[in-house]
Amino acid sequence: MPFLSRLAGIVATLFLLSIVVFCLQLLLPGDIASILAGEDRSPETLAAISERFGLDQPIPVQYVRWLGNALQGDLGMSMRFNQPVSTLVLSKLPVTFQLATMALIFAILIGVTSGIIAAVFAGTAIDQTLGVFSILGFSIPNFWLGILLIMVVSVQWGLLPASGYVSPFVDPWQSFRTMLMPAFVLGSQLAAVLMRHTRSAMIEVLHSDYVRTAHAKGMPRWRIIIKHALRNALVPVVTLGALEFGQLLGGSVLTEWIFTIPGIGKLLVDAVFNRDYPIVQAVVLCSGAIYITLNLLADIAYVFLDPRTRRGAT
Amino acid sequence: MSASAETVAARRSVTGLLWRTFSGRVGAVIVIFFVLMAVTAPLLAPYDPLSSDWGAVLQPPSLAHLLGTDELGRDVLSRLLWGAQSSMFAAVGSVAVALAVGVPLGMTAGYFGGVADIVISRLTDTLLAVPGIMLAIALALFLGGSLINATLAIAVAAVPAFIRLSRARTLQVRAEPYIEAARSVGVANTRLLFVHIFPNLMPPIIVQATLAMAVAVIAEASLSFLGLGRPPPAPSWGSMLTVGKDYIATASWLSIWPGLCIFLVTVGFSLLGDGLRQSLERR
């Protein structure tokens, strides 16, 4: 039953998301047919466009028609590229997934490690220094960090390429090199968030009774930290990481644009500059759907990671 | 002490306790500095931020132009000072709108429950499903590029956090014995909500509002960076960075200063929020 109600909730959220995305076009100042017509705004052209896209129909009818098409994978035509929007979005998704996955790995490596260190040395200068880095990581705008890294690492030192994309299937090493800086930029904010969460979860676990018992039994400190404390502290952190993966898609927008990576983030920015509204709607819809799916997967992962939730569910 | 007297005391002590934490003090000083910068821009700016000097294009920092000039010969320092107004307006404006919409909705969901709770919570989940910056970009694009529209777009993206927070806190406060007692003697729902529950939501809401301002500063800069904020030639830190991006190799000062300002304001609001949170936890 809980699973069914969760599923019903997801369907309802997706339905509301589709309404929000459809309603975006109602915010456009002026007539949609005129915008779609471009320079040729003769009454005949406007009438033809209105009829073709059903713009002369009442809004609920337009929505039902739009939703029906969307459910069949038809999210409209790009006004700029004159190609199906769904084809464009699907072709860019793997690139963004590659970037987001690398960023997530970076964030986990940096965030969880520094979180453990901060918790073990809680209240000391090490903890405070890491805390400062966490605030810096959280506050630095990723587009500025990207510009600074290009300025220093690429332009001055010539160590890594400033922009571009190479598929890992063509040249894995070059692909890794081109993605290194963007992944670091994209993952820096998440690393700061993960550090804070790991630190507080670890501190809580380190003060629990079973850790104290392990101490009393003479177990080495490093073993207590790795085997007992970290395992339990990581449960909420792993779930958070999975949820934040969706947010990485949001962060990819400016990162991809700065580093000229052809993912959905850059597709969105290009669509903004070209006023290609169907692409913007499709990217928002897909990002939301991906986030909702990841949310569900995180719930399932949580049940597997923490047996207590399994017992609570039954 | 009555409940309302306790609330007044709590509010006063939140302001006082802010100064007890180091991060709170540093954050407050940074934020006050940038607020003053925005307010006094017309007095402090050495040049007109819009006037071009074609004889001083892309000049590095010098005594005549302390932070250099841009590709149109405009003084970077003057544009930075004026640009602070956009950031502060977006930060304060978007959070004010998000508070005005989010808190009443969260209180309604938490207090009345039932259908109101289901509808509001589902709407919150929907807005949270789309990454905030993507939602803000889409809204700002469809509304049209302007500072007001960018502020509204950022506000919409910020609303769900306030709904969730005020809903959760209302659920807690609603279960308190004094609310039960007030209800049993016939106090009206609106009076209960605004006189007894609302003041008790304030401490966590203030913390969230401060942190939301940090996010709003970055969001405004991102939207301006994409040409969806204050339209050019009006100065904004984000649009200054857009220009700077094209001159990374030859005129690095165009990227460094506006980025540094965005970064410092964000740090300021984050530290302020952190300080407030620490103060509340210590209490």
PDB file of all heavy atoms in Angstrom, chain B residues 15-16 36 67 85 109 111 129 141 160 163 215 227 247:
ATOM      1  N   THR B  15      17.927  38.641  17.564  1.00  0.00           N
ATOM      2  CA  THR B  15      18.735  39.752  17.061  1.00  0.00           C
ATOM      3  C   THR B  15      20.004  39.907  17.895  1.00  0.00           C
ATOM      4  O   THR B  15      21.095  40.107  17.364  1.00  0.00           O
ATOM      5  CB  THR B  15      17.920  41.075  17.127  1.00  0.00           C
ATOM      6  OG1 THR B  15      16.574  40.778  16.832  1.00  0.00           O
ATOM      7  CG2 THR B  15      18.471  42.106  16.180  1.00  0.00           C
ATOM      8  N   GLY B  16      19.842  39.792  19.214  1.00  0.00           N
ATOM      9  CA  GLY B  16      20.994  39.947  20.094  1.00  0.00           C
ATOM     10  C   GLY B  16      21.998  38.817  19.949  1.00  0.00           C
ATOM     11  O   GLY B  16      23.196  39.048  19.854  1.00  0.00           O
ATOM     12  N   LEU B  36      25.072  49.309   2.024  1.00  0.00           N
ATOM     13  CA  LEU B  36      25.522  50.711   1.952  1.00  0.00           C
ATOM     14  C   LEU B  36      26.054  51.036   0.559  1.00  0.00           C
ATOM     15  O   LEU B  36      25.822  52.122   0.026  1.00  0.00           O
ATOM     16  CB  LEU B  36      26.610  50.973   3.005  1.00  0.00           C
ATOM     17  CG  LEU B  36      26.120  51.053   4.451  1.00  0.00           C
ATOM     18  CD1 LEU B  36      27.308  51.208   5.401  1.00  0.00           C
ATOM     19  CD2 LEU B  36      25.149  52.218   4.631  1.00  0.00           C
ATOM     20  N   LEU B  67      39.384  50.235 -10.934  1.00  0.00           N
ATOM     21  CA  LEU B  67      39.179  48.814 -11.266  1.00  0.00           C
ATOM     22  C   LEU B  67      39.205  48.598 -12.776  1.00  0.00           C
ATOM     23  O   LEU B  67      38.745  47.571 -13.274  1.00  0.00           O
ATOM     24  CB  LEU B  67      37.862  48.298 -10.670  1.00  0.00           C
ATOM     25  CG  LEU B  67      37.741  48.374  -9.137  1.00  0.00           C
ATOM     26  CD1 LEU B  67      36.410  47.797  -8.665  1.00  0.00           C
ATOM     27  CD2 LEU B  67      38.889  47.651  -8.446  1.00  0.00           C
ATOM     28  N   GLN B  85      22.862  47.515  -6.647  1.00  0.00           N
ATOM     29  CA  GLN B  85      21.421  47.760  -6.464  1.00  0.00           C
ATOM     30  C   GLN B  85      20.586  46.609  -7.025  1.00  0.00           C
ATOM     31  O   GLN B  85      19.601  46.188  -6.405  1.00  0.00           O
ATOM     32  CB  GLN B  85      21.026  49.075  -7.153  1.00  0.00           C
ATOM     33  CG  GLN B  85      21.626  50.281  -6.463  1.00  0.00           C
ATOM     34  CD  GLN B  85      21.170  51.591  -7.077  1.00  0.00           C
ATOM     35  OE1 GLN B  85      20.629  51.615  -8.182  1.00  0.00           O
ATOM     36  NE2 GLN B  85      21.406  52.676  -6.370  1.00  0.00           N
ATOM     37  N   ALA B 109      -1.578  24.789   5.105  1.00  0.00           N
ATOM     38  CA  ALA B 109      -1.426  23.337   4.938  1.00  0.00           C
ATOM     39  C   ALA B 109      -1.218  22.664   6.294  1.00  0.00           C
ATOM     40  O   ALA B 109      -1.822  21.632   6.588  1.00  0.00           O
ATOM     41  CB  ALA B 109      -0.252  23.042   4.013  1.00  0.00           C
ATOM     42  N   TYR B 111      -1.937  23.827   9.391  1.00  0.00           N
ATOM     43  CA  TYR B 111      -2.973  24.028  10.403  1.00  0.00           C
ATOM     44  C   TYR B 111      -4.272  23.297  10.056  1.00  0.00           C
ATOM     45  O   TYR B 111      -4.864  22.635  10.891  1.00  0.00           O
ATOM     46  CB  TYR B 111      -3.249  25.524  10.576  1.00  0.00           C
ATOM     47  CG  TYR B 111      -4.213  25.827  11.698  1.00  0.00           C
ATOM     48  CD1 TYR B 111      -3.787  25.766  13.020  1.00  0.00           C
ATOM     49  CD2 TYR B 111      -5.542  26.139  11.434  1.00  0.00           C
ATOM     50  CE1 TYR B 111      -4.667  26.015  14.053  1.00  0.00           C
ATOM     51  CE2 TYR B 111      -6.434  26.392  12.461  1.00  0.00           C
ATOM     52  CZ  TYR B 111      -5.993  26.334  13.766  1.00  0.00           C
ATOM     53  OH  TYR B 111      -6.863  26.571  14.800  1.00  0.00           O
ATOM     54  N   ALA B 129      10.559  19.748  -7.881  1.00  0.00           N
ATOM     55  CA  ALA B 129      11.081  18.746  -8.828  1.00  0.00           C
ATOM     56  C   ALA B 129      11.975  19.383  -9.895  1.00  0.00           C
ATOM     57  O   ALA B 129      12.864  18.738 -10.427  1.00  0.00           O
ATOM     58  CB  ALA B 129       9.925  18.008  -9.493  1.00  0.00           C
ATOM     59  N   LEU B 141      12.423  33.883 -18.830  1.00  0.00           N
ATOM     60  CA  LEU B 141      12.380  33.940 -20.299  1.00  0.00           C
ATOM     61  C   LEU B 141      10.953  34.201 -20.780  1.00  0.00           C
ATOM     62  O   LEU B 141      10.720  35.065 -21.632  1.00  0.00           O
ATOM     63  CB  LEU B 141      12.898  32.623 -20.886  1.00  0.00           C
ATOM     64  CG  LEU B 141      12.738  32.487 -22.398  1.00  0.00           C
ATOM     65  CD1 LEU B 141      13.689  33.443 -23.122  1.00  0.00           C
ATOM     66  CD2 LEU B 141      13.013  31.065 -22.861  1.00  0.00           C
ATOM     67  N   PRO B 160       8.760  27.131  -2.505  1.00  0.00           N
ATOM     68  CA  PRO B 160       8.558  25.808  -1.905  1.00  0.00           C
ATOM     69  C   PRO B 160       9.289  25.604  -0.575  1.00  0.00           C
ATOM     70  O   PRO B 160       8.737  24.980   0.344  1.00  0.00           O
ATOM     71  CB  PRO B 160       9.112  24.841  -2.960  1.00  0.00           C
ATOM     72  CG  PRO B 160       9.067  25.576  -4.232  1.00  0.00           C
ATOM     73  CD  PRO B 160       9.232  27.014  -3.890  1.00  0.00           C
ATOM     74  N   ILE B 163       7.248  27.168   2.108  1.00  0.00           N
ATOM     75  CA  ILE B 163       6.009  26.406   2.375  1.00  0.00           C
ATOM     76  C   ILE B 163       6.346  25.213   3.275  1.00  0.00           C
ATOM     77  O   ILE B 163       5.698  24.976   4.292  1.00  0.00           O
ATOM     78  CB  ILE B 163       5.361  25.908   1.060  1.00  0.00           C
ATOM     79  CG1 ILE B 163       4.888  27.083   0.207  1.00  0.00           C
ATOM     80  CG2 ILE B 163       4.178  24.984   1.370  1.00  0.00           C
ATOM     81  CD1 ILE B 163       4.230  26.691  -1.107  1.00  0.00           C
ATOM     82  N   VAL B 215      21.117  32.568  -2.046  1.00  0.00           N
ATOM     83  CA  VAL B 215      20.796  31.858  -3.285  1.00  0.00           C
ATOM     84  C   VAL B 215      20.257  32.842  -4.326  1.00  0.00           C
ATOM     85  O   VAL B 215      20.582  32.756  -5.524  1.00  0.00           O
ATOM     86  CB  VAL B 215      19.760  30.733  -3.003  1.00  0.00           C
ATOM     87  CG1 VAL B 215      19.360  30.019  -4.284  1.00  0.00           C
ATOM     88  CG2 VAL B 215      20.331  29.730  -2.012  1.00  0.00           C
ATOM     89  N   GLY B 227      21.297  37.292 -19.823  1.00  0.00           N
ATOM     90  CA  GLY B 227      20.531  38.368 -20.463  1.00  0.00           C
ATOM     91  C   GLY B 227      19.070  38.376 -20.061  1.00  0.00           C
ATOM     92  O   GLY B 227      18.225  38.949 -20.760  1.00  0.00           O
ATOM     93  N   TYR B 247      36.519  38.241 -22.576  1.00  0.00           N
ATOM     94  CA  TYR B 247      37.858  38.863 -22.507  1.00  0.00           C
ATOM     95  C   TYR B 247      38.721  38.202 -21.423  1.00  0.00           C
ATOM     96  O   TYR B 247      39.563  38.847 -20.809  1.00  0.00           O
ATOM     97  CB  TYR B 247      37.727  40.365 -22.204  1.00  0.00           C
ATOM     98  CG  TYR B 247      37.033  41.134 -23.300  1.00  0.00           C
ATOM     99  CD1 TYR B 247      35.657  41.323 -23.272  1.00  0.00           C
ATOM    100  CD2 TYR B 247      37.746  41.659 -24.383  1.00  0.00           C
ATOM    101  CE1 TYR B 247      35.001  42.013 -24.279  1.00  0.00           C
ATOM    102  CE2 TYR B 247      37.101  42.345 -25.397  1.00  0.00           C
ATOM    103  CZ  TYR B 247      35.729  42.517 -25.334  1.00  0.00           C
ATOM    104  OH  TYR B 247      35.083  43.201 -26.342  1.00  0.00           O
TER     105      TYR B 247
END
